[in-house]
Amino acid sequence: MENKRQSGSLTREQLDHYNVEGYLVLEDLLDEQDMAAPRAAMAEKVSMIADELYDDGLIADKLEGEPFKYRLAKLFAGKTDKDFLKYGRSWRDRIAGYYRLLSNPKILNAVESLIGDEIFANPVYNVRPKVPGVAAGAVPWHQDKSYWPDANANPVITVWIPLVDATLENGCLHIKPRTQIRKLLDWHAESHTGTGYTALHEHQLGKCPTVALPVKAGTAILFNDRVLHMSTPNGSDHVRWSVDLRYQPTDQDPMVQHGVGFLARSGKFPSRVATLADWLAERPEHEG
Ligand SMILES: O=C(O)CCC(=O)C(=O)O
């Protein structure tokens, strides 16, 4: 049992929970070692942003000594939503630490339990620094499928993992269980965050209760692309760092219009699994 939990593979009970409730919480899926590479990648990106802010005269101090949890929040303290969208919005960089995370065997073992061992890492993965006071931090109720309505890809599994503890105060994920069986609802693009997030109106949410999911850093929340979810604003003094990674079976639409995904695991063709070099070069499959 302990080995199974550590490997990420799901038990029968966990599979049943996912299938019935539409989501699953895997406590402590990642340990400090697993999180070191993605945290370093995020810190690298924060340094790039600090350089840009400094070069453009928006800050006088790059705050190099500030801890991971606080630095980006302090860099943007007193800045506008527009500044954040200009300097702090693009988070799909090809930094090695993100590949290490996307390829983490514990995550892939959990996904394999759900969809089998031919696993494609969808190009839509997000590194999310939810910065206090930035409107784009709060994500309205939506279904992920609204971002790829025309794709035949179903199911796409989201693996959401915070890199600092996600709390009610800093804006953890909220979910409506059992909504995975819903068809894709008509959505609209919201207009107050400046990001055009897809959103649903209150009256479309139905009577399903909402479950708030405060979880510790390294815990994973899995759900599919029909489940209604949202996150609240960050009312804390630090960044709520998280990632949402997406995986699907290889026989589904690779969604090239969203970027280049990669073959993350293959029982049939293990030699074709993308290497770090493939990923950095944006090649979906290993050629040799
Ligand atoms: O991380 C968040 O705050 C929201 C995540 C989300 O909406 C998603 O993963 O689809």
Side-chain angles (χ1 to χ4, degrees):
M1 179 71 183
E2 183 58 14
N3 278 344
K4 261 204 173 278
R5 198 180 66 77
Q6 284 193 353
S7 76
S9 299
L10 305 186
T11 62
R12 182 70 259 163
E13 209 180 7
Q14 288 171 320
L15 283 169
D16 289 346
H17 188 282
Y18 181 89
N19 288 328
V20 174
E21 301 299 327
Y23 75 99
L24 181 66
V25 177
L26 293 177
E27 274 179 36
D28 302 324
L29 180 70
L30 302 187
D31 59 25
E32 287 300 315
Q33 203 183 331
D34 297 312
M35 288 187 279
R39 279 195 187 125
M42 292 167 185
E44 189 180 330
K45 173 72 175 178
V46 171
S47 290
M48 291 182 216
I49 292 173
D51 287 344
E52 281 179 52
L53 290 169
Y54 184 85
D55 291 346
D56 289 355
L58 273 84
I59 53 169
D61 180 353
K62 295 186 194 171
L63 303 176
E64 275 152 0
E66 280 294 331
F68 172 67
K69 191 170 165 181
Y70 295 100
R71 187 175 177 203
L72 195 67
K74 292 197 174 172
L75 286 170
F76 280 103
K79 308 275 175 301
T80 64
D81 284 346
K82 234 168 136 189
D83 291 331
F84 183 76
L85 294 180
K86 179 170 175 200
Y87 293 92
R89 188 54 201 145
S90 160
W91 287 89
R92 267 182 218 158
D93 305 84
R94 299 268 151 172
I95 306 179
Y98 297 159
Y99 168 85
R100 302 255 177 259
L101 178 70
L102 283 155
S103 304
N104 185 295
K106 295 176 188 169
I107 296 175
L108 296 179
N109 289 347
V111 173
E112 178 174 332
S113 299
L114 295 171
I115 61 170
D117 66 356
E118 302 299 320
I119 303 176
F120 184 75
N122 183 290
V124 184
Y125 70 94
N126 294 307
V127 172
R128 277 183 208 259
K130 189 192 283 230
V131 171
V134 169
V139 178
W141 283 109
H142 69 284
Q143 295 169 298
D144 282 353
K145 177 85 177 152
S146 56
Y147 286 99
W148 43 86
D150 300 326
N152 68 351
N154 190 18
V156 175
I157 315 282
T158 293
V159 179
W160 188 94
I161 305 176
L163 281 292
V164 301
D165 293 352
T167 62
L168 291 173
E169 191 191 16
N170 70 15
C172 64
L173 205 64
H174 291 59
I175 238 168
K176 286 192 178 285
R178 303 190 181 205
T179 51
Q180 75 277 15
I181 46 179
R182 283 189 187 216
K183 65 177 176 35
L184 180 61
L185 298 167
D186 283 338
W187 75 95
H188 63 277
E190 57 77 33
S191 55
H192 74 280
T193 67
T195 60
Y197 286 133
T198 66
L200 295 168
H201 295 291
E202 193 68 33
H203 69 82
Q204 295 177 286
L205 304 179
K207 292 193 179 10
C208 315
T210 299
V211 175
L213 294 169
V215 290
K216 280 196 292 170
T219 288
I221 302 172
L222 277 54
F223 56 95
N224 82 10
D225 60 0
R226 306 299 165 94
V227 171
L228 270 58
H229 60 287
M230 61 85 118
S231 72
T232 44
N234 184 349
S236 77
D237 60 354
H238 58 266
V239 181
R240 193 222 67 189
W241 283 103
S242 67
V243 291
D244 35 277
L245 315 176
R246 293 187 173 75
Y247 300 90
Q248 62 193 54
T250 49
D251 57 1
Q252 300 288 1
D253 187 338
M255 302 191 206
V256 288
Q257 66 277 30
H258 291 284
V260 179
F262 69 95
L263 185 65
R265 174 173 285 180
S266 174
K268 270 193 231 140
F269 306 107
S271 64
R272 292 188 191 167
V273 168
T275 62
L276 172 61
D278 293 327
W279 186 75
L280 291 173
E282 305 212 13
R283 278 196 304 264
E285 288 193 5
H286 185 56
E287 288 172 337

